[in-house]
Amino acid sequence: MKPTLTIIFALCLCLPMLGADKKAPLPKGIPAGYKLVYSQNFEGNEAKEKSQFWFTTPDNWQVPAVRGKSFIEFKTNPNKYKYKVRSPLTIGLVRDVEVKDFVLEAELQQTGKEYGHRDMCVFYGFKDRSHFYYTHIASVTDPHAHNCFIVNDKPRIKISHETTKGHKWSAKNWHRVRLVREHASGKIEVYVNDMKKPIMRATDKTFDWGRIGFGSFDDTGRIRNVRLFAPESRKSKVGDPFIKGRK
């Protein structure tokens, strides 16, 4: 073999190895040192995708068996579910992953009718059914809507110190949502569609590690393209937190 061909052949063998150690670049806005710890595109069959979640009312959640439609949706108000602490009734909680500091991204679609409290919720720092945070994204803001809340063994309390007048769900089919959480500073920031300016800010250090999820207080909606970035994560050892509410 000629020397030139030998060099070219050697380079061809090395190139795949050179790229093997390189990690995929983080999306814009994800801090250095973070990594993708969970993702969900809902492209499998319904039983498989639902098995990754705990639900307040499992029968209300569906994964369409239609090619090209990859999302999970909750379709009816869970009037059979009750719980002692007033808080959202529809919750789909990722089973196995707990995070403390994180950036959560997803696309949400609200499928209900327009009214002041038309909403979708993002849950985080979820310890159990009586201890968690959630962000309520609604058409109109007031002390009980379109804010960040804490549920700490009593009815939810607003913790956000900055919010907008409301969010227009009907303006766009799918809405890109990003939630940023840093426990040491207590920072919570919520972005919708515009990733440069948050629509809500809150500060609270009550809960550290916990699970994440999606749902609503009273409405219907869809979720797709879930991605969770964190510097570290751990496997949750907690089982189904919604058993008591179904009785």
Side-chain angles (χ1 to χ4, degrees):
M1 185 179 290
K2 294 181 179 181
T4 303
L5 292 176
T6 302
I7 294 171
I8 293 173
F9 181 70
L11 287 172
C12 290
L13 289 175
C14 291
L15 283 174
M17 295 177 65
L18 290 172
D21 293 332
K22 291 184 178 180
K23 296 180 180 179
L26 291 170
K28 188 176 181 180
I30 305 300
Y34 280 48
K35 57 188 176 183
L36 183 66
V37 299
Y38 176 80
S39 64
Q40 175 57 268
N41 294 322
F42 303 105
E43 294 179 345
N45 64 63
E46 182 174 270
K48 177 184 176 182
E49 304 302 350
K50 288 180 65 173
S51 69
Q52 297 186 36
F53 291 79
W54 294 118
F55 301 103
T56 47
T57 47
D59 291 344
N60 284 355
W61 293 76
Q62 298 178 9
V63 177
V66 180
R67 181 174 295 180
K69 292 186 177 182
S70 299
F71 56 81
I72 192 168
E73 64 180 331
F74 47 96
K75 302 195 70 173
T76 57
N77 190 311
N79 52 24
K80 294 182 180 179
Y81 183 85
K82 306 292 182 183
Y83 196 71
K84 61 181 181 180
V85 177
R86 180 162 174 74
S87 54
L89 298 175
T90 299
I91 304 175
L93 194 69
V94 175
R95 285 193 183 196
D96 293 334
V97 182
E98 292 185 357
V99 287
K100 182 170 65 174
D101 299 336
F102 64 88
V103 177
L104 173 61
E105 294 186 339
E107 294 180 17
L108 308 182
Q109 184 182 61
Q110 220 286 348
T111 56
K113 296 180 179 180
E114 185 57 57
Y115 70 106
H117 282 195
R118 181 187 182 191
D119 81 286
M120 287 191 74
C121 296
V122 181
F123 301 88
Y124 46 103
F126 197 104
K127 300 284 191 181
D128 56 52
R129 187 61 183 89
S130 298
H131 302 88
F132 60 92
Y133 298 112
Y134 73 95
T135 290
H136 185 269
I137 304 171
S139 299
V140 177
T141 186
D142 63 38
H144 299 115
H146 198 65
N147 273 291
C148 298
F149 297 88
I150 184 172
V151 176
N152 194 6
D153 207 26
K154 56 185 177 182
R156 81 278 200 219
I157 297 174
K158 181 176 78 72
I159 57 172
S160 42
H161 53 77
E162 181 180 326
T163 187
T164 59
K165 294 181 179 180
H167 177 66
K168 294 182 180 180
W169 284 108
S170 58
K172 190 177 182 181
N173 284 337
W174 287 95
H175 302 252
R176 183 185 174 196
V177 173
R178 172 182 283 176
L179 194 146
V180 178
R181 168 64 170 162
E182 294 178 4
H183 178 260
S185 65
K187 181 172 80 171
I188 299 169
E189 291 183 344
V190 184
Y191 300 79
V192 180
N193 297 328
D194 181 356
M195 298 295 111
K196 295 181 180 179
K197 184 178 180 181
I199 65 166
M200 296 180 206
R201 285 190 172 101
T203 304
D204 192 274
K205 300 180 182 181
T206 305
F207 304 138
D208 48 16
W209 291 89
R211 289 179 282 184
I212 61 100
F214 304 90
S216 174
F217 215 111
D218 299 299
D219 293 317
T220 59
R222 297 169 175 171
I223 303 103
R224 71 180 185 186
N225 296 334
V226 179
R227 296 189 298 175
L228 179 62
F229 300 90
E232 57 180 339
S233 63
R234 68 187 189 189
K235 184 177 177 60
S236 178
K237 298 179 181 180
V238 184
D240 185 350
F242 305 122
I243 294 174
K244 290 183 178 180
R246 297 193 201 106
K247 294 180 179 179

